[in-house]
Amino acid sequence: MDTDARVATEEEAPDWSPPAAVILVNLGSPRAPTRAAVATFLAEFLSDRRVVELPSLLWQPILRGIVIPLRARRVAHAYASIWDDGSPLRVIALRQRWRLQQRLRASCGDAAPWVRLAMSYQGPSIAATIADCQRRGIDHIVVLPLYPQYSATTTAAVFDQVARHLLSVRAWPELHLVRDYHDHSGYIAALAASVQEHWQQHGRAEHLLLSFHGIPAANIAKGDPYARQCERTAHLLAISLGLHEREWALAYQSRFGRARWLTPYTNETLRKLAANGVRSIDVMCPAFAADCLETLEEMDMQNRAVFLDAGGAEYRFIACLNDREEHIGMLHDIVIANGY
């Protein structure tokens, strides 16, 4: 049995006969915070044509000859700084899966679907997870990518893997693919609740920065709706929190390469806010369903230093929704809305 298939079948088998399955999908991460493991992860991740839209003959020599050798050690060091009993993304994803399963069992009883977990890169693979469901006689499957805002670089990459697997399958399962939930009322309410809880515990900063993961600006010109959906999420959240436009801002983080990405950039926005006299700032990352390298290391460490070095006094990071009760409740509602 290949590694992905073994991992996919190592989840605890259900103690009931589920009529359906829900596959939660996130990006994935290296299997260890080491240079070798990171190099393997980057090679798989950055070889996806949805992620880097360059011809393979041009991109692969650059990726394997320049990008990976230059980045693997630094990225491994960054992962090591946040690694605790595993990659935070994977550890949190397992908690999300377990809590969603408990919630569905409580509401649906023996009619509850079996909640599975898959990752786009480094397994457990989407294909192996679907195949395992079908081997167990489950032919009704909801694929729920944990990306609130749709982008071809993330959500479409998940659907590509589903489609590639089905090319080799004679008997297709009944599939429900969740495209996005960027303006779902439960998602906005969960974000607002996390901010309000943070304010109750730590006080309210002068400014709230909503930092979304960036993508190349050229992707938007080609029709990717990601930026529009990020903007709608941000505006709905600001309305829910009763914020005036001068009290919050939207920015994009995690730029890669020299091409122009979505602006404004998060680090430049933080410098500008500090230069304009903002002394305290609350920061959150609504595009991430679980804390990971980009939130715990890039936002809570690197960009904290950017703001403080630019003259800011207080930088407070608001954790992702992770396995908060409101988040799990929203995921539960999406599953139910898809027929289960």
Side-chain angles (χ1 to χ4, degrees):
M1 182 181 294
D2 64 67
T3 300
D4 280 337
R6 188 185 71 250
V7 172
T9 56
E10 282 177 348
E11 293 179 7
E12 183 178 353
D15 58 3
W16 77 104
S17 299
V22 176
I23 302 177
L24 300 179
V25 186
N26 214 319
L27 187 81
S29 59
R31 298 186 183 278
T34 64
R35 182 177 182 180
V38 167
T40 300
F41 170 71
L42 291 177
E44 182 181 1
F45 172 43
L46 296 177
S47 291
D48 192 325
R49 289 292 299 276
R50 289 288 192 178
V51 177
V52 180
E53 297 181 8
L54 291 174
S56 294
L57 288 176
L58 172 63
W59 173 238
Q60 285 299 318
I62 297 172
L63 173 63
R64 297 176 186 278
I66 300 174
V67 174
I68 292 176
L70 289 178
R71 290 177 62 88
R73 185 183 298 277
R74 178 169 59 83
V75 174
H77 178 75
Y79 268 109
S81 71
I82 62 169
W83 206 269
D84 184 15
D85 295 327
S87 158
L89 178 67
R90 289 177 181 271
V91 171
I92 293 167
L94 288 168
R95 294 206 309 262
Q96 291 171 328
R97 185 199 71 80
W98 184 84
R99 294 203 63 192
L100 178 59
Q101 185 69 85
Q102 298 305 305
R103 184 71 172 262
L104 286 165
R105 284 287 276 155
S107 67
C108 301
D110 286 346
W114 186 19
V115 183
R116 310 298 303 274
L117 177 65
M119 298 287 177
S120 293
Y121 313 104
Q122 292 295 282
S125 76
I126 296 165
T129 306
I130 294 174
D132 184 56
C133 288
Q134 291 199 277
R135 279 194 297 271
R136 295 169 184 268
I138 298 173
D139 281 314
H140 299 263
I141 300 173
V142 175
V143 179
L144 175 49
L146 294 176
Y147 305 119
Q149 297 78 23
Y150 173 93
S151 172
T153 61
T154 51
T155 316
V158 170
F159 295 165
D160 284 350
Q161 292 192 29
V162 172
R164 282 196 294 271
H165 170 66
L166 293 179
L167 286 172
S168 63
V169 173
R170 186 170 297 276
W172 279 29
E174 179 181 340
L175 277 172
H176 295 252
L177 307 178
V178 179
R179 182 177 184 269
D180 64 78
Y181 50 93
H182 72 283
D183 58 357
H184 190 285
S185 60
Y187 165 61
I188 302 300
L191 291 173
S194 71
V195 175
Q196 290 163 343
E197 181 180 292
H198 172 83
W199 286 346
Q200 290 170 359
Q201 293 177 352
H202 306 286
R204 179 170 165 176
E206 298 171 48
H207 205 83
L208 175 65
L209 178 64
L210 307 177
S211 180
F212 293 80
H213 197 290
I215 64 173
N219 292 25
I220 304 303
K222 295 175 183 176
D224 198 306
Y226 179 72
R228 171 173 50 81
Q229 292 192 359
C230 289
E231 291 166 6
R232 178 152 176 78
T233 294
H235 282 281
L236 288 174
L237 177 57
I239 290 170
S240 179
L241 293 171
L243 295 175
H244 189 276
E245 61 181 14
R246 67 175 176 272
E247 296 177 310
W248 68 278
L250 176 153
Y252 296 96
Q253 65 185 82
S254 308
R255 181 186 179 190
F256 173 74
R258 297 182 179 180
R260 182 174 179 271
W261 280 40
L262 291 176
T263 57
Y265 299 134
T266 293
N267 56 359
E268 293 180 359
T269 299
L270 288 167
R271 292 189 188 99
K272 182 177 179 181
L273 288 169
N276 289 339
V278 173
R279 301 290 290 164
S280 63
I281 191 165
D282 292 319
V283 178
M284 71 183 306
C285 303
F288 296 88
D291 278 310
C292 55
L293 185 72
E294 289 84 356
T295 66
L296 298 174
E297 197 275 337
E298 182 183 357
M299 288 306 302
D300 198 18
M301 297 181 187
Q302 289 187 38
N303 280 307
R304 175 185 299 275
V306 168
F307 183 69
L308 297 180
D309 289 347
E314 293 182 72
Y315 181 101
R316 297 181 299 208
F317 175 72
I318 302 173
C320 293
L321 293 179
N322 296 328
D323 61 342
R324 287 179 61 93
E325 183 66 26
E326 301 91 344
H327 191 205
I328 302 304
M330 181 270 296
L331 295 175
H332 168 276
D333 292 347
I334 290 176
V335 172
I336 297 301
N338 276 272
Y340 301 103

